[in-house]
Amino acid sequence: MSRSLAAPQKLFRSLLQSRPRTQQQCQRFLSTHPSSSSPSSRPRRPTTPSSRQQRCTDSSRPFLEQRRHKAKTVEEQRSRYRTGPFSWKAGLLFAVTSAGLVWYFEHEKQRMQRKRIAEATKGVGRPKVGGEFQLVDHEGRPFSSRDLKGKYSLVYFGFTHCPDICPEELDKMARMIDIVDEKAPGALTPVFITCDPARDDPKILKAYLAEFHDRLVGLTGTYEQIKDVCKAYRVYFSTPRDVPPGQDYLVDHSIYFYLMDPEGDFVEALGRQHSPEQAARVILDHMKDWKR
């Protein structure tokens, strides 16, 4: 029985020995956190924030003030929620930018299409339109294909005795010349080559072309010369050969305007489906695309 009483006594003694330590720890904790009511606590000096803390506080103050901003009136609050993240300035900028991009891509598309048309006739294996020739102009002076180089030229084939088609097309050609001259004065050389050399001499050509436009250059020559130039331009014509003088006849021929670049290469054929305004616009666009 003495042994059974010894065990609780040892436990009680251990508890009594650990009590002062706990008391010391509590006193130590209280000493690190003095209270104002404790008589032994000393008055502490007011601490000032360091420079780093001051900078952090100053830098965060506008942000906090901005976030705490409230609308002054109900209308202002409604307008802010009505517009959302977008404004009329952003919408206007978006519309202008979109329109500019659409115009740019459409312009580039048309330019690339004109470039393909102009280069299609220069590929290997394709028939060449145009070539060297030696003729006489409406003033009786020699005129060759070299005189057309350096400028764009618009070549049309016809004859002065044509009853209706040639007058209509020459009126159209005169209108095209005027429109082009307004934008690019003197940049286009208009040429009329007769398919009926037996009746269209220089004098007749000069009087005939003066009725349409003063800048038209009329060209004629021998039957063989006209045949060769029509072959070079892939022009069909049915002028009879060795016709007796005074005998009347008609000439069938192709109805196209041949646009040639300053190097004498074929660019594009303008047909009856083009109005004078449309044809002049095509000519001016090709002129803009030309790189010297």
Side-chain angles (χ1 to χ4, degrees):
M1 184 174 178
S2 59
R3 292 181 180 177
S4 62
L5 292 174
Q9 289 178 357
K10 291 181 180 180
L11 178 61
F12 182 72
R13 289 176 182 176
S14 62
L15 290 174
L16 292 176
Q17 291 176 358
S18 62
R19 183 178 179 183
R21 293 181 182 177
T22 308
Q23 211 169 15
Q24 290 177 0
Q25 290 178 357
C26 292
Q27 290 177 358
R28 188 178 302 170
F29 175 78
L30 292 173
S31 64
T32 56
H33 295 77
S35 62
S36 59
S37 64
S38 178
S40 61
S41 61
R42 297 180 180 179
R44 299 181 61 183
R45 296 181 180 179
T47 57
T48 58
S50 62
S51 60
R52 182 179 301 178
Q53 292 176 348
Q54 186 70 23
R55 287 195 300 267
C56 293
T57 306
D58 294 341
S59 62
S60 61
R61 187 172 301 166
F63 175 74
L64 294 175
E65 290 178 357
Q66 184 177 4
R67 292 189 61 182
R68 289 196 300 268
H69 174 73
K70 295 182 179 179
K72 296 181 180 179
T73 61
V74 178
E75 289 76 9
E76 182 180 353
Q77 185 71 20
R78 289 179 179 176
S79 64
R80 290 180 61 190
Y81 283 106
R82 187 184 299 116
T83 57
F86 299 100
S87 63
W88 67 270
K89 293 182 180 179
L92 180 61
L93 179 62
F94 176 78
V96 172
T97 304
S98 301
L101 289 174
V102 170
W103 177 86
Y104 172 77
F105 285 115
E106 188 66 23
H107 176 74
E108 285 297 308
K109 179 181 178 182
Q110 295 176 359
R111 187 183 67 84
M112 294 302 297
Q113 184 176 2
R114 292 192 301 268
K115 185 177 180 181
R116 286 194 297 267
I117 293 174
E119 292 180 351
T121 59
K122 302 178 183 179
V124 178
R126 296 184 180 276
K128 180 177 175 62
V129 178
E132 301 292 330
F133 61 82
Q134 293 284 342
L135 298 174
V136 178
D137 67 5
H138 60 274
E139 299 289 349
R141 298 171 299 191
F143 193 99
S144 67
S145 55
R146 291 188 297 271
D147 296 320
L148 296 178
K149 292 185 178 181
K151 293 182 180 180
Y152 272 87
S153 57
L154 190 65
V155 183
Y156 179 76
F157 291 82
F159 64 107
T160 60
H161 288 73
C162 182
D164 48 12
I165 300 298
C166 288
E168 293 178 2
E169 294 301 299
L170 286 176
D171 283 333
K172 177 179 175 180
M173 191 175 187
R175 178 59 182 157
M176 292 160 57
I177 297 169
D178 290 337
I179 296 175
V180 173
D181 282 346
E182 291 177 0
K183 303 292 183 179
L188 181 68
T189 302
V191 179
F192 176 87
I193 301 178
T194 181
C195 297
D196 186 13
R199 293 183 294 186
D200 294 342
D201 58 14
K203 183 178 179 180
I204 293 177
L205 279 178
K206 184 177 180 179
Y208 179 74
L209 297 178
E211 299 178 1
F212 299 98
H213 205 283
D214 56 356
R215 290 192 58 227
L216 280 167
V217 178
L219 299 179
T220 186
T222 65
Y223 183 88
E224 293 297 331
Q225 288 175 328
I226 297 299
K227 180 181 177 180
D228 291 340
V229 70
C230 288
K231 183 178 179 180
Y233 279 82
R234 303 294 187 268
V235 175
Y236 165 78
F237 78 106
S238 61
T239 305
R241 192 169 186 175
D242 299 330
V243 178
Q247 182 177 346
D248 193 15
Y249 57 89
L250 292 177
V251 177
D252 191 13
H253 61 87
S254 302
I255 307 172
Y256 285 103
F257 297 98
Y258 297 87
L259 181 63
M260 314 297 290
D261 66 17
E263 294 181 351
D265 294 326
F266 172 72
V267 177
E268 188 172 350
L270 305 174
R272 304 193 70 183
Q273 72 275 12
H274 293 88
S275 65
E277 292 75 17
Q278 292 173 343
R281 190 180 306 115
V282 171
I283 296 171
L284 290 170
D285 288 339
H286 281 293
M287 287 181 176
K288 293 178 182 177
D289 297 337
W290 173 256
K291 295 181 181 180
R292 294 176 176 82

